[in-house]
């Protein structure tokens, strides 16, 4: 990790470690227990991923606009999804669908050996690539593609996270899980819930977690 004061948004970088600490306390109070996830979120500077004008809100527990009608996820949701995905274990290869600004991918880079993240909007992909390079995060592979069918050429994954909501679970996608692998995704149109899909030698088990609000999965590149 590079020295924050050398980065753009350096002004807020000076105080960001302290405000980030407060965010971690809030996440703890909201029920996040995995210390590895909390440490990863304490390490990744969220303000670097958003527009400078929104910098003062970077460590509030809210989603924020990142342009192109998309948002950076609420820190609680990033923490929760990462905690459920990890299930207390070190992850090997993880896939994320919907890079957006790259924040979730950066958090994943601290809990998995190798991360693949897919984005369909070219300017978001390019900005995420630049940000991750600035932070010297080099175990994240970004791809500018329609991620609705996953990434068969890098499969199988022991973790899959979707950052956008589909109406139903894609069979093509769940086949890219290892046996023992876990997928965390929002599903639904009017009402959305977070789901956990677990694969074992007998097949797939689905559990519904809490209500959430994600941008929709959209087909095709833009
Ligand atoms: N992971 C981000 C959240 C991004 S919002 C974070 O850390 O905050 C969800 C993203 O999913 C948007 O950038 C949107 O463009 C992207 N998305 C939607 N449909 C997609 C698809 N079919 N393939 C890849 N990305 C998609």
């Amino acid at each position: 990790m590079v020295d924050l004061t050398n980065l753009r948004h350096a002004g807020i970088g000076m105080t960001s470690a302290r405000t980030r600490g407060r965010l971690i306390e809030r996440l703890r109070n909201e029920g996040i227990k995995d210390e590895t996830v909390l440490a990863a979120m304490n390490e990744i500077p969220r303000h670097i991923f958003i527009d400078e004008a929104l910098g003062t809100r970077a460590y509030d527990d809210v989603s924020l606009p990142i342009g192109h009608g998309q948002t950076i996820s609420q820190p609680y949701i990033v923490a929760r999804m990462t905690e459920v995905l990890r299930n207390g274990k070190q992850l090997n290869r993880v896939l994320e669908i919907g890079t957006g600004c790259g924040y979730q991918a950066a958090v994943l880079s601290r809990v998995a050996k190798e991360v693949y993240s897919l984005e369909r909007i070219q300017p978001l992909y390019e900005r995420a690539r630049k940000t991750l390079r600035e932070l010297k995060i080099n175990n994240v592979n970004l791809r500018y593609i329609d991620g609705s069918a996953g990434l068969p050429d890098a499969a199988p994954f022991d973790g899959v996270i979707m950052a956008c909501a589909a109406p139903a679970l894609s069979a093509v996608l769940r086949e890219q899980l290892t046996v023992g692998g876990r997928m965390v995704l929002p599903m639904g149109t009017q009402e959305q819930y977070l789901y956990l899909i677990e694969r074992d030698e007998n097949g797939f088990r689905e559990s519904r977690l809490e209500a959430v609000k994600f941008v929709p999965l959209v087909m095709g590149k833009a």
Side-chain angles (χ1 to χ4, degrees), residues 10-55:
I12 178 172
M14 308 287 282
T15 54
S16 81
R18 200 168 58 232
T19 45
R20 199 147 66 235
R22 280 202 290 271
L23 171 64
I24 301 309
E25 273 322 297
R26 173 138 19 102
L27 295 176
R28 231 186 262 284
N29 292 335
E30 285 171 336
I32 304 299
K33 293 190 180 68
D34 187 331
E35 290 298 329
T36 303
V37 173
L38 291 167
M41 295 200 44
N42 197 28
E43 192 186 347
I44 303 295
R46 189 169 183 255
H47 66 280
I48 302 293
F49 291 83
I50 59 178
D51 198 88
E52 204 161 354
L54 295 168

Side-chain angles (χ1 to χ4, degrees), residues 66 70-73 96-105 118-121 124 145-148 163-164 215-219:
I66 54 171
Q70 307 304 321
T71 54
I72 178 171
S73 301
E96 178 191 32
I97 298 163
T99 311
C101 61
Y103 176 69
Q104 169 81 75
L118 318 178
E119 176 54 57
R120 64 176 287 277
I121 298 178
L124 289 180
I145 58 166
D146 175 351
S148 48
C164 42
V215 297
L217 175 85
V218 179
M219 308 294 246

